[in-house]
Amino acid sequence: MRILVAGGTGVIGSRVVPLLAAAGHDVTATSRSAARLLPAEAAGARGVVMDARDAVSVDAAFDQAQPDAVVHLLTDLATEDFAGNAHLRIVGSRNLVDAAKRVNVSRMVAESIAWVGEPDAVPGDETVAIARDPDSGDSLFPAVETLEREVLSLDDGVVLRMGLLYGPGTWYGRHGTLLRRAESGTVEASVRRTSFVHADDAARAVVMALDWPHGIVNIVDDDPADVAEWGPALVWAAGGAPIRITARAQGRSSSNAKASSLGWVPQHPTWRDGPFDLL
Ligand SMILES: NC(=O)c1ccc[n+]([C@@H]2O[C@H](COP(=O)([O-])OP(=O)(O)OC[C@H]3O[C@@H](n4cnc5c(N)ncnc54)[C@H](OP(=O)(O)O)[C@@H]3O)[C@@H](O)[C@H]2O)c1
């Protein structure tokens, strides 16, 4: 297939591009920066500079890639700009879906997040409703709702609700932002009940999902946990001592039964094995 990977340089995209190229696909990877595309090009992909907030730029990327399928891995979190990230989820998703419809591409696999369900103690499946904002002024949940609605408006749209990413290159990786905070004993989780997924497993799911039917699939490991448990484990792994472990909302962890039924089995079934890849 000819596949356009929007966000081919991020924590998941940089893993997905080599997997797709090695599988023999014709891959076009995008970034806002030509320099950041060099690893994707070295892996065999064509690099295209695109700003997803600009519909003209997105259309031009589609014209160059002539895709049969699109992988949407756009987030804007490298500088922890959460408002910018919400804006990108809304505007970038709309621009990608509009461009796909313009050229009759119906297949899109997109990255969403797993911790958006209404709070409950039992892990949720893919039917859980997206919660209202845990605190006022947070644009995260409506932006996720828009992303999912846009992608599912395509006949072959697949939304992957990813757990909290850990592993090399993530915020919980060796030089990651949240790991550095944990070194001084602080963990401030978005939600108390958490499902993790290793970034390598997340990337494998994206590749597999190109063959999955329309719908939502949770991509999480087998071992949901409360921040009261994983928070101190993260702090110890970072070499600190727990001082302040908090969560903004109760939240809900997720079940991976549907992903399992589709053949996805995490190679890192629990964050406990070599916590956060730091051992
Ligand atoms: N589920 C989760 O827990 C989750 C999910 C995502 C990210 N994160 C965390 O966030 C951190 C940063 O994530 P990341 O490495 O994926 O980087 P990121 O800065 O969030 O970018 C992801 C991708 O989106 C692209 N992008 C961003 N804004 C764009 C725009 N306006 N137009 C076109 N492309 C755009 C980036 O390309 P360029 O920057 O090259 O232009 C990159 O390829 C990670 O350490 C990770 O732990 C967590």
Side-chain angles (χ1 to χ4, degrees):
M1 277 196 290
R2 286 191 302 272
I3 302 173
L4 175 64
V5 182
T9 58
V11 71
I12 302 180
S14 60
R15 288 166 160 89
V16 164
V17 166
L19 290 177
L20 291 174
H25 296 293
D26 177 324
V27 183
T28 299
T30 79
S31 165
R32 288 162 295 178
S33 143
R36 277 172 55 77
L37 284 166
L38 294 177
E41 288 165 349
R46 180 183 311 106
V48 169
V49 172
M50 177 190 91
D51 187 332
R53 295 164 301 187
D54 174 2
V56 173
S57 174
V58 173
D59 283 345
F62 271 71
D63 287 346
Q64 288 190 58
Q66 301 277 312
D68 304 306
V70 178
V71 173
H72 170 1
L73 302 174
L74 299 171
T75 54
D76 195 3
L77 289 167
T79 58
E80 294 187 67
D81 176 4
F82 296 107
N85 188 46
H87 179 71
L88 179 64
R89 278 201 172 108
I90 293 170
V91 175
S93 301
R94 279 193 185 133
N95 285 340
L96 280 183
V97 170
D98 286 350
K101 288 178 176 169
R102 181 175 66 81
V103 295
N104 294 319
V105 171
S106 64
R107 180 152 296 276
M108 183 178 294
V109 173
E111 171 194 3
S112 182
I113 53 176
W115 58 94
V116 289
E118 287 288 353
D120 198 304
V122 182
D125 65 14
E126 286 76 2
T127 64
V128 298
I130 293 183
R132 296 298 99 208
D133 290 359
D135 42 302
S136 58
D138 188 347
S139 53
L140 168 69
F141 288 61
V144 169
E145 217 161 17
T146 301
L147 177 153
E148 295 194 349
R149 192 174 51 247
E150 287 288 340
V151 173
L152 295 174
S153 75
L154 294 166
D155 286 348
D156 300 303
V158 179
V159 166
L160 302 180
R161 287 188 178 162
M162 305 279 189
L164 268 191
L165 292 170
Y166 75 100
T170 69
W171 280 339
Y172 295 104
R174 194 167 286 282
H175 302 292
T177 311
L178 298 183
L179 185 83
R180 283 206 310 276
R181 283 179 208 158
E183 284 168 6
S184 57
T186 300
V187 176
E188 290 169 352
S190 298
V191 291
R192 172 164 294 284
R193 305 186 189 97
T194 308
S195 285
F196 283 99
V197 66
H198 193 286
D200 292 347
D201 284 326
R204 287 178 41 252
V206 170
V207 173
M208 293 177 73
L210 284 162
D211 292 321
W212 288 352
H214 177 274
I216 299 173
V217 186
N218 294 334
I219 302 298
V220 297
D221 74 9
D222 295 340
D223 196 4
D226 193 288
V227 69
E229 188 180 7
W230 66 261
L234 174 65
V235 172
W236 291 122
I243 295 171
R244 208 168 75 87
I245 312 286
T246 59
R248 281 199 303 135
Q250 290 300 314
R252 186 169 189 174
S253 60
S254 308
S255 154
N256 60 17
K258 182 173 176 183
S260 301
S261 75
L262 290 163
W264 178 82
V265 177
Q267 289 174 352
H268 301 266
T270 169
W271 53 272
R272 283 172 226 270
D273 291 345
F276 308 102
D277 255 15
L278 297 171
L279 292 181

